[in-house]
Amino acid sequence: MITKRTLKENIKRIGKKQKHAIRTGCFLFVGITFSTPLFGQFQIDAQFRNRFELRDGYRKLANDGATPAVFISQRTRLSFSYEAEGLKVKFTPQDVRVWGDEQLASSTGVLGDNASLDLFEAFVEIRTGAGGWLSVGRQQLVYDNQRILGARNWNQNGIAYDAIVYKWQAENRAFHLGTCWNSTGENTSDNYYDPTRIKSLSYIWAKSSLSENWDLSLSHATSGVTKSETDNTLYFRQTTGVYSTYKKGDLSLSGNIYYQFGKNQSGNNVSAVLVDVESKYKLGKLSPGIGLSYLSGNNKAGSSQQTDHLFDVLYGARHRFFGGMDYFRSIDSHTKEGGLVDYYFFLDYKLLKNTSLRNTGHYFQLAQTNPATPDDRNLGYENDLVLKYQFAGWGALESGYLFDLPTGSLKTIQGVEDDKFSQFLYVQLTVSPSLFKN
């Protein structure tokens, strides 16, 4: 039971945290505004994203008799950016909440909320010679088709990294070198860290335009995880590969291949592969396309697997690759280490100048079977239908209806025996205005 005294203490504690965050933002705003050099540029941008969701089988197959979940979530971002000769600064506080999730309330009104205010971005970029910049702080790392490092934008919170990145840009070439080192706090000893998260991440990325139609990028990432929450031992997984796009006329081709080696979290050797290929052709207002994604898996499970063949997508995008129903967010647990194969097709149709419709069909299979998976590799068919209306340069309305037709193998993996028709409906409003520019 929450007493009146406890309630006041909680409100006071939460209020202090939020006031401190807001005060910090205000000080930064005032400091930048009143100390702006003559040739500096200051800008304020905002983003409001509200999403209504009806979940009846989203993330997990629907059980017969289960009641669908209905809610509205909201993302609010306010971004302050400043740019002068040789200097760039960006500061983005973010609030993410579900309508009605206030935990401190009474019959007389809402009295408080668990603090949902967070710092999404806070970094500075300093020019280092011709074409070079050094970026330090909390920032997004988004590369190529976001297979290995992505924005994870479907999630209302998104994802950002505390990192140091050197960037070099020329006319048709680019080179990035970045590194991260994560800790739980200002420790006096040890490097303990959650083994399900990456403790250390370093990467190299290079891109070149080989011709007017052909781009090629190469990347290598070293990701280290601790052996356990109480062990300092670090095991490093190496991910290296290429990504390429080709476009000529109405034809678009893209593909990537990544190979992983090194050690997994258990200290076993790694030898895994990821392959994506996609083709798209424009026929007036209609643009059909087909593609294939392959993530290797293990034919043995657990400690009996001497070499780990399960590909780890690190912090890459999930929602945009593995189907909008999000059944395969964690490949190891959601496929029982079997890996994943996705045969997909899509059809884009330009209904009006600012309105588009896309239908994507996925047929999923396990890449491998093992003692923990069913013998049948087929997982079923998913259909994603998405309608998008760009009503202004700063605003868009998007709606999607998705459903899944699972096989017995998917039901077994998810532990759902008595299922019903699984479907998911959402409506999303995104408004991203530029509030001020000087």
Side-chain angles (χ1 to χ4, degrees), residues 13 93 117 201 332 365 415:
R13 185 178 67 255
L117 190 64
L201 175 67
D332 57 346
Q365 288 183 333

Side-chain angles (χ1 to χ4, degrees), residues 197-260:
R197 299 175 61 189
I198 296 176
K199 170 71 175 177
S200 171
L201 175 67
S202 300
Y203 67 92
I204 296 175
W205 174 82
K207 181 179 179 180
S208 178
S209 296
L210 302 181
S211 69
E212 182 181 354
N213 310 107
W214 185 18
D215 289 340
L216 179 68
S217 63
L218 298 88
S219 61
H220 178 85
T222 300
S223 54
V225 295
T226 56
K227 186 176 182 179
S228 71
E229 292 181 348
T230 57
D231 194 317
N232 288 322
T233 304
L234 272 174
Y235 292 116
F236 290 93
R237 179 187 295 259
Q238 312 292 334
T239 304
T240 188
V242 297
Y243 171 73
S244 183
T245 59
Y246 177 83
K247 184 175 182 180
K248 187 172 184 179
D250 296 324
L251 177 65
S252 299
L253 302 172
S254 64
N256 57 254
I257 180 169
Y258 294 98
Y259 177 68
Q260 286 184 339

Side-chain angles (χ1 to χ4, degrees), residues 252 278-281 287-291 344-348 358-361 384:
S252 299
E278 182 178 294
S279 174
K280 180 180 179 180
Y281 194 81
S287 299
I290 58 173
Y344 65 93
F345 69 91
F346 58 89
L347 194 62
D348 291 335
R358 165 173 277 213
N359 190 82
T360 306
D384 304 347

Side-chain angles (χ1 to χ4, degrees), residues 184-204:
T184 57
E186 296 182 2
N187 304 320
T188 56
S189 63
D190 298 319
N191 291 304
Y192 298 151
Y193 203 67
D194 185 348
T196 63
R197 299 175 61 189
I198 296 176
K199 170 71 175 177
S200 171
L201 175 67
S202 300
Y203 67 92
I204 296 175

Side-chain angles (χ1 to χ4, degrees), residues 297-360:
N298 289 323
N299 56 16
K300 297 180 182 179
S303 59
S304 60
Q305 186 75 35
Q306 298 299 315
T307 299
D308 187 2
H309 299 291
L310 181 65
F311 193 91
D312 185 348
V313 293
L314 304 182
Y315 286 143
R318 270 80 162 165
H319 185 83
R320 66 182 297 177
F321 288 109
F322 304 140
M325 295 290 277
D326 285 342
Y327 287 156
F328 308 104
R329 305 178 308 281
S330 177
I331 300 300
D332 57 346
S333 59
H334 295 160
T335 68
K336 304 296 184 183
E337 299 187 22
L340 190 65
V341 184
D342 179 15
Y343 304 93
Y344 65 93
F345 69 91
F346 58 89
L347 194 62
D348 291 335
Y349 184 65
K350 196 77 170 178
L351 294 173
L352 298 169
K353 181 180 179 181
N354 299 323
T355 307
S356 59
L357 181 69
R358 165 173 277 213
N359 190 82
T360 306

Side-chain angles (χ1 to χ4, degrees), residues 154-166:
W154 169 258
N155 187 328
Q156 291 283 42
N157 295 84
I159 187 170
Y161 306 78
D162 300 308
I164 301 174
V165 183
Y166 172 74

Side-chain angles (χ1 to χ4, degrees), residues 54-58 60-70 325 327 381 401-407 410-411 414-424:
L54 190 155
R55 297 183 175 186
D56 193 18
Y58 173 74
K60 187 175 183 179
L61 295 171
N63 279 295
D64 189 24
T67 302
V70 180
M325 295 290 277
Y327 287 156
Y381 174 80
Y401 176 71
L402 302 78
F403 66 85
D404 190 86
L405 303 175
T407 64
L410 183 58
K411 297 177 186 178
Q414 293 195 2
V416 178
E417 296 180 359
D418 192 12
D419 71 310
K420 64 175 182 178
F421 184 65
S422 294
Q423 56 188 330
F424 173 47

